[in-house]
Each structure stands twice: as C-alpha cells, then as structure tokens.
Amino acid sequence: MNADLNIALAGNPNAGKTTMFNALTGARQSVGNYPGVTVEKREGFMNFENLRINVVDLPGTYSLTAYTQEELVARNYLVNERPHAVIDIVDANSLDRNLYLGLQFMELGIPMVLALNMMDEVRRSGKRIDTKKLSRLLHMPVVETVARTGEGRQELIREAVACGRKRQGEWKPLKISYGPDLDPVLLDMCSLIEAAGFMSDRYPARWLALKYLEGDIQIRHLAAQAGEIGEQLAGLREKTENHCRITLEASPEAIIADYRYGFIASVTKQGVISSTGQKERIIFSDKIDRVLTHRFFGPSLMISVLYLMFVVTFRIGEVPMGWVEAFFTRLSAAVSDLTNPGLLRSLLVDGIIAGVGGVLGFVPLIMVMFLGISFLEDSGYMARMAYMMDRVLRIFGLHGCSVMPFIVSGGIPGGCAVPGVMGARTLPSDLEKLATLLTAPFMPCGAKVPVFLLLGGAFFRGSAASVLFWITIGAWVTALLVAWVLRNTVIRGEATPFVMELPPYRLPTLKGICIHTWERAWQYIKKAGTFILAISVLIWAAMTFPSLPEEKMVSFEKEQKRIAALAESADDEKKTEDLQALLRDSRNRQAQAALRYSLAGRIGTGLEPVSLLAGFDWRSNIALIGGVAAKEVIVSTLGTAYAMGGESGESGLAEKLRKDPHWNVANAVSFIIFVMLYSPCFVTIVTMAKESSWKWAAFSMIYTTILAFALAVGAYQAGIFLGR
Amino acid sequence: MNRQRLCLREMAVNQRGTICSVKAEGELGRRIRDMGLVPNTEVTIVGRAPLKDPVALRLRDFTLSLRNNEADFITVEVCGN
C-alpha cells in the first residue's frame, strides 16, 4: 500500500505516544519487529483530506545515542527512511526533560511538529504553557493535545501534513553553542567530515561531529572503517577529552548534555512556563506511593495485587475457556461422525484437533491475563513493582523489571512462559534479559499444574494444594539460583543501571488496553495455527507408527470379537457388565501394545536404562518427551500409556497410578521435579529464539533438562534409600 | 544559611538540594544525564524502596528512581540546618 505522506511519532517513554498512535490510526495498524532486533515496529494508516498517511510509532527513547537498540532503531529509521515529518510527543508536565530528545531531532534538522501532550493534567495543575511563544522560540508548530481524549489530534495531523509538504524533505539542522571548549573543535571536525564526504549524504556534519565527541559507538565504528577520517576524528577527540578533563574536570559527553539542558532552560525560562498553583498531579501520585511503596504495606499489597490478578484471571478465564473446549469437543465428535475409523480419523481427531484445540483453549486465559498485565503496565504500577523488587533481584544478577516475566510465566501458578518470555522485552539490558528469559520457564505454568495436581492427588492425598505451594517456592528458588549461576558464568557482566522513570499513576484507556491485549493474543493464536499444528501431527505420527504387526492385531481383534459375542448372548445384567469391562480392558491393552510398538514407544523403551535412574519407565518417558511439544501432552499421554483411554477422567488415572506397582512416592517426587524444571515447551523455545537467538534457545533446552534429570535422580535415589 | 555538600545516597527523604557534580561515565553517565540529572538541577528525595534501595527522587517535575550505588556518583549541595 502506497502512502502519500510518511509521518513518524517519536518521544519519551510514558509520554502518551502509543495512545496518540491509537487515536490517530485506530485499529488500522500492524505490529512487527524491526529487522534483526526485538524492538516492536508499529505502523498504521490514516486518511486526512484525501491523503493517505502512513504513521510509524517509533520506540520510546530518552535520547538518540547508539546505546540501546530502541535509540538505534529510531535514529536509523529517521535517517534511512527520511519521513516527511516527525511528530515529537512530549509530556508537557515535564517539558524540560522531554525537550532533551526533541532538541536532538532539531539538531538533525528533520521537519518536526511538537505535540504538548497531557495538557489536561497541566491545566489542572495550575501550570500555564505559552504555546505560541514556545512555537516562535523553537521555530516549529506546537500543538496542545490530550491523547487519551483525542483532543488536538486533527490539528496535530494538519500541522504535520502542512510541515511535510512545505519542507519537501529538506532538513534544516539547528546549531546551538557548546561553549568555548567544544565549539572550535566541532568546527574543525565539521570541515574534516565535509572534506572527506563522510556520510554527509545522510547526516548533518555537525551532528556527526557531536555524536563522535559524545562517544557514539555506531558513528565511531563507521568512521574507523572509513579510513583516514576516522584517525583524524579520533585524534581530535582525544585531544578534546584531555583538555576538558584538565580544565573542566568533565568529559565532553557531560559538557554536551549540560549545554543541551542549558539551551532548553533558556527557551522555557523565557516565560514559556508559568506556575500558578500546586503541582496537583504529582502530589496525588506521591500520596498513593506513600502507601503502595510503603515499607510494610508496599510488599504485602504487591503480593495481594498479584494474587488477586491470578484469581480473577482464572475465575473469568474459565468461562470462555469452557466454551472453546466445548467447541473442540463438538468438532471432534462431528469429525468422528463424518469419517471412518482409521488413520484419517485418528490424524484429524487425536492429532490435529486435540493438539491445536489444547493450545487454543488457553487463548481466553491468556487474553484475560494480558488484560490485567496491560492494566498494571499502563497504570504505572508495574514500574513500582520493579522499584520494590530490584534490591532482591539484583542479588541474583537480575533486574527489578525481571519480576513481571517471572510472574507471567507462572510465578503464581498458572501463568504461561510464552507471554512471560515475550514480556522480558521490557528489560533494559541484554544480560539481565537473557538471564530472565532462561530462568522464567522454571515457573509452574498452567500446563504443568495438572501434572502436579494429578501426582499430588495420587500420592499426597488431601494435600495437593500444599504440594503446589512447595513446588512454586521450589521453582522460584531454582530460578533465582540458576540466574545467579548463569550471571556468574555464561552471561557474566556488569549490572545495568536501574535509572528508571516512575510515571505518575494514571487510569489506563480501555482502547489502549484492548489493542495491546489483542495483539499479544493474536501472536499466540498464529503460533497455534502453524507451529503447534505441525508438531501435533509429528507427535501423533510418532505415537501411531509403525503400527502393530498384522498377527498381533488379528489376535486382539479375535479376542475382542469373542468377548463381544459372549456379551451379546449373556442373559443377566451383571455378567454383561463384566464382559464389557473385559472388552474395554482388551482394547486398552491393545492401545498400550500399539503405543509400545510405535516409534515413540521404542524411544521410551530405549531410554529406560538411563531414565530408570530417576524412576521413569518407558511410559513416563513418552509422556515427558511429548511434554516438550506442549506440557499439556504429559497428562494425556500418561492416560494413553497407562491404558486409560479417553473415557475416564483424571481421577481414574490418579487411582491407576497409585495402584500401579511401578509408582510410589519416590517416583512421584522425582517426576514432579523433572516436570518442574526440564526443557521449556516448543512454543516457548521458538519464542526464546526470537527474543534472543537459536543458540540460547538450544542452550536453554539442554541445560534445563540436564539440571532437571540430575535433581530427579537425586530425589529418586534418596527416596528409595529412605524408603528401605 | 549554611550550605553543605553531600552524596545523593546520604540524603534523607524529603530533603532538597541542587546537583553540583555527576561523576558517572559510560553508559551509566549517559543514562543519568539523559534523564536530566545534570549540575544545577534541583532534586528532592521523595522516598526509598522497602529495602532502602533504590531511591526515588523528584526533578524537573517527574519522578526518577536509581540505585544507591548509582547515586554515589552524584554530589548535591543542600541547605543544612
């Protein structure tokens, strides 16, 4: 789709950029990633006076250096795509700090419109901003907006369109003074850059010189590759740095920041901002914080909020989840009616519908959970959680922001590691993000919980709930300890600065939350439709082929026919029932024999010599291997493998396991530990690979399984020893 | 009025002061400066996390939090009493 005009939205995080983007484009937007990085790219279309306008929501940043992926992405987009205009959305409550980024756009010279957002809050706080004066001083259109209500939206886009048309892609870099120590050297660097023609087709020379002095990694790297110019610039920089250190005791970087803030103050102090009253909004927010981050109430309220969120998620999520499940039950019944017994029916019903249905059944739950998480994020509470938890998580080499991925993954039982791993995006640094990604899947996700409940119910009668509690504690302890080990071995490195804004509490907009939730749910659904579908078919095939040899089939069939005939001719009811039970038993034995004969069964049997160390027989092995595809498979496969068929429920399976001579408390504990810790499911692994790399995803599969097996063997052997 | 220089870490909740110097360099220095913590900026301590770390401060009409070991790089001039 071709657009008449490209407009980019830029600004600080929490300035209401995405809210404005939603207000402008509505639902006509798409979310993807920028190539090669995990920074989200939001794009949407809107119509304005017969023009088709493409709007891009750039990632929220505080500056334009090359330190973070977000900043690099924003900068590269502006320079490479050269949009017709940039709308800089600033939080008018803290104009000075927000203009720090705006000033860097002005130094680039890109056609720009300033949106003073959250003007409703500014007005309420009794502050006045002289918009006309600001516009005159900055030489650009300035529009007052309230993104939440859409106020100023039309005017903003009109100004952006006018600005884009007038400038016709021409960039007019602003030159501000950086004082007697830097100005001369900047001039020297500029002439060098211009003479060498170094990237001057894309960036203004002065801007390159500034970034070079600021120590920008990307620019310095490019200059070094460009040959002579790199050496010349490096020489100048070194000289300047020494000079600044001796005379001013500061780095050029610090001096540049000082002068930028000085320039901003010189603009805003000229009567642009006048305060008449109390800073109401912040005071209100402070009052809430006094309770919500209080020494005692803070942590206890945090736990209550999280607990409540999960209770609500499951209570509400249960209902639509039931509908989805009922739909798939009906679908498989309908398909069974339409097809003949045999491979096709088995593929459709046991393979595809069971597999995809099992995953899609989680969609309502995930949606409700994300609704809650989006609320916590947009309201500003999430930042407080990171603030409160940082001291604890830092000990283990993590970051305050790791708390949410852990909780979403199942830190309170019932989460899901897929959104948890995706949630690790909010972490500001790669090291802590990686440590979080690699340990979050230890948490008891919703698909593992049935396994724990099954075994807890079977072997620790009446205390399944406390079993789940201790499993959760165990998962947290393991995740934190493993994170600590990883951060001190394979992902060693300095802790990232915490420096983080605590945005004032705000009531989130319904529209924003809904769009957010839907996006994430849709990503999950797409995965279920493609990846899970393929895996389901594969697993089904492994558990079906090769099928039992002819003579064994025939012998089972003969036996079943004989019993059926007897049952038909039997006269009293009791006898008929007994015979029918016998028939069921025969069918189950056939299913079990077929499973053992299949590829999956052979692998399970082949693994026994090793797996028996942890007390897993071939049937457990199949279930656990299937569980790598999706943890939901564990219980259903145990069901098949223990010849329970689909008819009787889990309570039947618990009974069967308890009576099975192979199972005892030691097996149960070892099985629980293994399921708790071993390889994340395939969907999680794919998500991890997308968020980091395939190398780390593979590492995660291997190290978790080794750890899980070692601990399971330990637990089993100890159990056997004590049981003697 | 007697003025006193101290490290941001040592400031008490609700105490106010003006930044004299920011000694942090590299990534930390950049992040601190990006958020507007530059000399001559007025800051007020608004609170501390339940475990006394990180600390929350008010500057330029917004709230920022940073860890104590990051606050160590910042010296502040306060009006003593």
Side-chain angles (χ1 to χ4, degrees):
Chain A
M1 281 189 285
N2 274 328
D4 301 313
L5 221 53
N6 286 314
I7 290 178
L9 297 186
N12 286 178
N14 304 310
K17 213 164 42 65
T18 302
T19 314
M20 182 56 88
F21 178 73
N22 290 338
L24 289 173
T25 62
R28 289 164 298 171
Q29 48 172 276
S30 62
V31 186
N33 275 355
Y34 286 92
V37 290
T38 53
V39 178
E40 266 180 12
K41 180 179 190 175
R42 277 163 205 277
E43 228 172 339
F45 281 97
M46 66 173 295
N47 294 314
F48 180 81
E49 290 174 354
N50 300 324
L51 287 176
R52 201 174 152 69
I53 299 171
N54 178 34
V55 188
V56 173
D57 185 14
L58 293 177
T61 63
Y62 292 107
S63 181
L64 273 189
T65 9
Y67 274 104
T68 68
Q69 284 186 340
E70 282 80 7
E71 293 179 12
L72 208 52
V73 161
R75 184 165 105 183
N76 287 343
Y77 181 85
L78 295 178
V79 178
N80 297 332
E81 308 290 326
R82 290 182 87 97
H84 294 91
V86 170
I87 298 178
D88 181 17
I89 305 210
V90 302
D91 176 353
N93 291 296
S94 52
L95 191 57
D96 282 39
R97 196 208 67 214
N98 277 264
L99 280 178
Y100 187 74
L101 176 70
L103 179 57
Q104 295 183 55
F105 291 137
M106 284 148 70
E107 290 186 291
L108 261 180
I110 192 158
M112 177 175 163
V113 177
L114 198 68
L116 295 184
N117 196 25
M118 307 195 183
M119 278 307 287
D120 51 341
E121 291 178 6
V122 173
R123 283 174 212 133
R124 238 181 293 139
S125 72
K127 216 190 311 187
R128 276 211 202 100
I129 298 180
D130 188 340
T131 311
K132 282 195 187 117
K133 194 163 193 178
L134 185 63
S135 166
R136 212 166 49 236
L137 290 169
L138 295 177
H139 307 287
M140 68 172 71
V142 179
V143 182
E144 296 186 7
T145 61
V146 181
R148 298 162 59 96
T149 61
E151 185 194 315
R153 184 178 63 183
Q154 291 297 321
E155 201 194 333
L156 183 63
I157 209 75
R158 189 179 311 121
E159 291 290 356
V161 168
C163 170
R165 281 179 157 171
K166 196 175 82 192
R167 293 275 289 271
Q168 290 294 327
E170 189 203 347
W171 285 22
K172 292 181 186 164
L174 170 78
K175 287 180 186 166
I176 68 167
S177 165
Y178 285 96
D181 296 285
L182 295 186
D183 275 345
V185 73
L186 280 172
L187 279 179
D188 290 350
M189 289 173 99
C190 278
S191 35
L192 279 175
I193 289 167
E194 271 158 12
F198 170 58
M199 290 207 295
S200 42
D201 52 329
R202 288 196 289 160
Y203 295 92
R206 190 179 169 88
W207 197 84
L208 285 173
L210 266 173
K211 286 292 154 195
Y212 197 93
L213 272 187
E214 276 185 283
D216 189 288
I217 309 157
Q218 191 196 30
I219 304 292
R220 288 175 75 176
H221 185 69
L222 288 170
Q225 282 179 337
E228 203 193 343
I229 177 83
E231 287 162 32
Q232 290 167 327
L233 290 177
L236 275 176
R237 184 190 134 95
E238 204 177 318
K239 216 173 83 192
T240 317
E241 213 173 78
N242 290 336
H243 169 77
C244 292
R245 265 185 220 295
I246 293 162
T247 55
L248 303 163
E249 287 182 23
S251 63
E253 232 182 316
I255 298 169
I256 291 171
D258 283 2
Y259 273 90
R260 283 208 180 111
Y261 273 107
F263 175 84
I264 292 165
S266 76
V267 170
T268 55
K269 294 270 149 54
Q270 283 184 50
V272 169
I273 303 174
S274 51
S275 181
T276 50
Q278 285 283 340
K279 289 162 183 168
E280 220 178 275
R281 177 189 66 131
I282 275 181
I283 284 176
F284 174 66
S285 215
D286 277 357
K287 278 186 184 154
I288 302 180
D289 262 340
R290 227 160 277 163
V291 181
L292 291 189
T293 62
H294 183 270
R295 277 198 79 176
F296 305 109
F297 301 129
S300 35
L301 275 169
M302 180 170 73
I303 291 169
S304 318
V305 165
L306 292 172
Y307 184 73
L308 193 78
M309 200 177 101
F310 274 80
V311 170
V312 168
T313 302
F314 282 89
R315 285 280 153 77
I316 297 179
E318 241 168 32
V319 181
M321 207 168 152
W323 299 337
V324 175
E325 269 163 19
F327 169 77
F328 279 103
T329 314
R330 243 186 251 169
L331 185 68
S332 60
V335 172
S336 296
D337 285 346
L338 286 173
T339 51
N340 294 320
L343 279 181
L344 181 66
R345 181 201 276 185
S346 169
L347 170 66
L348 290 174
V349 175
D350 302 331
I352 296 173
I353 297 178
V356 175
V359 176
L360 287 185
F362 276 95
V363 169
L365 211 62
I366 286 191
M367 285 185 82
V368 179
M369 190 159 66
F370 271 133
L371 222 54
I373 290 167
S374 301
F375 184 86
L376 291 184
E377 248 173 8
D378 294 357
S379 65
Y381 188 66
M382 195 89 92
R384 268 72 180 185
M385 280 174 36
Y387 170 68
M388 285 191 278
M389 289 299 290
D390 183 66
R391 188 71 197 87
V392 179
L393 292 173
R394 201 197 320 161
I395 299 170
F396 302 98
L398 297 166
H399 187 278
C401 293
S402 307
V403 68
M404 211 55 208
F406 276 152
I407 287 162
V408 174
S409 298
I412 292 179
C416 176
V418 177
V421 166
M422 290 198 281
R425 273 182 188 193
T426 52
L427 277 140
S429 103
D430 285 346
L431 296 177
E432 279 107 343
K433 180 178 151 185
L434 205 51
T436 311
L437 284 185
L438 290 173
T439 49
F442 287 138
M443 297 297 168
C445 73
K448 290 183 197 169
V449 169
V451 182
F452 302 146
L453 291 180
L454 170 73
L455 294 176
F459 295 97
F460 305 91
R461 239 186 266 212
S463 51
S466 71
V467 168
L468 197 57
F469 174 79
W470 286 109
I471 287 172
T472 311
I473 299 287
W476 271 96
V477 171
T478 317
L480 292 178
L481 289 179
V482 170
W484 184 82
V485 171
L486 290 176
R487 285 288 274 123
N488 284 295
T489 53
V490 279
I491 31 182
R492 204 176 348 202
E494 282 275 299
T496 322
F498 183 71
V499 187
M500 191 177 79
E501 190 181 354
L502 294 178
Y505 290 103
R506 293 195 176 96
L507 202 63
T509 61
L510 188 64
K511 191 177 176 182
I513 288 187
C514 289
I515 291 179
H516 223 98
T517 305
W518 174 245
E519 270 165 12
R520 298 199 197 174
W522 180 239
Q523 285 179 337
Y524 184 82
I525 293 171
K526 270 198 292 196
K527 232 165 277 158
T530 52
F531 197 77
I532 300 282
L533 181 71
I535 293 289
S536 305
V537 173
L538 268 180
I539 294 207
W540 168 83
M543 286 173 68
T544 310
F545 300 108
S547 39
L548 275 180
E550 194 77 23
E551 70 267 17
K552 285 209 177 151
M553 292 267 263
V554 170
S555 100
F556 271 116
E557 264 160 34
K558 263 190 198 156
E559 182 184 302
Q560 281 156 24
K561 262 187 199 149
R562 208 184 59 230
I563 302 170
L566 277 174
E568 244 169 61
S569 60
D571 31 22
D572 82 284
E573 239 167 67
K574 175 83 178 56
K575 208 169 176 188
T576 318
E577 252 171 47
D578 284 351
L579 283 166
Q580 249 147 20
L582 215 59
L583 187 61
R584 259 203 309 275
D585 181 55
S586 162
R587 288 206 182 113
N588 285 339
R589 272 188 290 118
Q590 184 183 356
Q592 198 184 339
L595 184 62
R596 183 156 201 167
Y597 196 78
S598 72
L599 181 64
R602 288 170 198 208
I603 294 174
T605 314
L607 285 175
E608 266 191 347
V610 182
S611 70
L612 277 177
L613 286 173
F616 306 150
D617 69 344
W618 69 275
R619 290 168 290 196
S620 310
N621 289 346
I622 300 179
L624 291 171
I625 292 168
V628 178
K631 301 282 149 104
E632 292 87 341
V633 174
I634 298 176
V635 171
S636 66
T637 312
L638 277 180
T640 320
Y642 280 89
M644 290 305 300
E647 303 118 79
S648 25
E650 277 167 28
S651 57
L653 181 55
E655 192 67 25
K656 189 97 180 175
L657 288 180
R658 190 159 45 232
K659 286 185 184 150
D660 193 285
H662 171 76
W663 280 85
N664 52 42
V665 175
N667 293 62
V669 171
S670 141
F671 199 83
I672 286 176
I673 290 178
F674 193 77
V675 170
M676 175 167 98
L677 303 177
Y678 86 120
S679 171
C681 66
F682 268 125
V683 192
T684 308
I685 292 166
V686 172
T687 316
M688 266 188 191
K690 279 189 183 161
E691 298 293 329
S692 54
S693 68
W694 276 105
K695 193 188 86 185
W696 284 114
F699 171 76
S700 153
M701 259 181 106
I702 296 163
Y703 97 85
T704 50
T705 307
I706 292 173
L707 176 70
F709 190 69
L711 290 178
V713 170
Y716 181 68
Q717 298 299 341
I720 295 290
F721 181 76
L722 292 174
R724 250 178 218 154
Chain B
M1 218 163 35
N2 93 60
R3 289 184 168 270
Q4 188 192 348
R5 279 189 181 201
L6 46 95
C7 174
L8 184 63
R9 183 204 273 262
E10 296 153 5
M11 285 174 77
V13 172
N14 289 328
Q15 199 172 18
R16 196 191 296 197
T18 308
I19 296 177
C20 326
S21 69
V22 179
K23 291 279 173 234
E25 293 194 359
E27 192 186 351
L28 177 63
R30 179 202 60 100
R31 288 174 72 117
I32 286 179
R33 282 189 287 272
D34 284 354
M35 300 304 276
L37 284 167
V38 294
N40 296 321
T41 310
E42 197 172 273
V43 293
T44 313
I45 306 290
V46 290
R48 283 180 193 279
L51 293 167
K52 295 282 167 209
D53 185 18
V55 56
L57 17 131
R58 164 84 20 82
L59 72 152
R60 301 181 188 275
D61 289 338
F62 76 101
T63 313
L64 183 75
S65 74
L66 68 168
R67 292 174 179 156
N68 279 339
N69 59 11
E70 294 157 5
D72 281 343
F73 292 97
I74 302 170
T75 29
V76 181
E77 192 171 83
V78 293
C79 307
N81 49 355

